[in-house]
Amino acid sequence: MTETPRTALTIAGSDSGGGAGIQADLRTFFACGVHGMTAVTAVTVQNSLGVHGFTEIPVEVVTAQMRTVASDMGVDAAKTGMLATAEIIRAVAATADEIGLGAGGESAPLVVDPVAASMHGDALLREEALEAIRTELFPRATLVTPNLDEVRLLTGVEVTDADSQRDAADALLELGPRWALVKGGHLDGSPRCVDLLSDGTHRIELDGPRHDTAHTHGGGDTLAAAVTAFLAKGLGVGDAVSAGKAFIERCVAESYPLGGGIGPVSPFWRLAPEGTPGPPAS
Ligand code: PXL
């Protein structure tokens, strides 16, 4: 018998292709050494070429998953990903308060990754649900981690440079989260990827290399999940985001082609630094 590890809960959608959503979160939690638990919100039908559709899980089943793991196993940190509908968002927010997640609850940090669409541009959120993310979820978040498209949808700020990145962080913080991370990875033309983490008082610039790869499926989920894992292990937000950024950089550098479209980022390196044993895949 060994010691019980820290626990992390992801409240998110399933990606049948295994590279994003719940599947990315679980493999990241595992690679970062925490026990992963899930509240599935929706099941997508997708492969590397795109999302063919999704079905949401009945709202009472989503909240029951949250309550059931929290009451028995405990949650050291949680994250939200694809939440699909305003009804699910409202129920997740209320249940987060009830089980002690995020600012409205008592103790466990809550990372909100406001997933709106896949990399192919396929919607993962019903249109009326954006407002519920703003009003129900953001005020409860310890940290929000939108990509630049989600920043624009949520705040109207178009991030094109360092100044607008700061404006975006301020606009996100006005919606109520304790911290906002504005990622710079998608700023075209820059050889570096400078992310901005702010709580309104502290502005921390996180600088890293930008890897040119087409295979970045699940990148946002993997970063948010790694930060959640490090928060579960007891790091503060600044340290957890720095550790998460170091983790995702390597996952992007080691992403792989799979199928005919966008392949996933990969946490394999963390488990088998010398290369995965066994015969090559093809
Ligand atoms: O990467 C965002 C994301 C989150 N959750 C699910 C997804 C995707 C992207 O495709 O499918 C279920």
Side-chain angles (χ1 to χ4, degrees), residues 7-9 37 66 69-71 73-78 99-101 107-109 232:
T7 59
L9 169 66
M37 306 177 300
M66 293 171 67
V69 297
S71 63
M73 300 152 100
V75 178
D76 291 314
I99 65 176
L101 303 179
S107 51

Side-chain angles (χ1 to χ4, degrees), residues 67-128:
R67 278 192 203 100
T68 303
V69 297
S71 63
D72 174 47
M73 300 152 100
V75 178
D76 291 314
K79 80 171 274 264
T80 62
M82 174 188 181
L83 295 175
T85 67
E87 193 193 5
I88 292 177
I89 292 165
R90 281 193 290 269
V92 165
T95 310
D97 287 354
E98 189 188 309
I99 65 176
L101 303 179
E106 269 168 18
S107 51
L110 177 66
V111 175
V112 171
D113 187 21
V115 172
S118 79
M119 289 197 137
H120 302 90
D122 303 312
L124 295 173
L125 189 67
R126 310 269 184 234
E127 223 170 283
E128 79 288 353

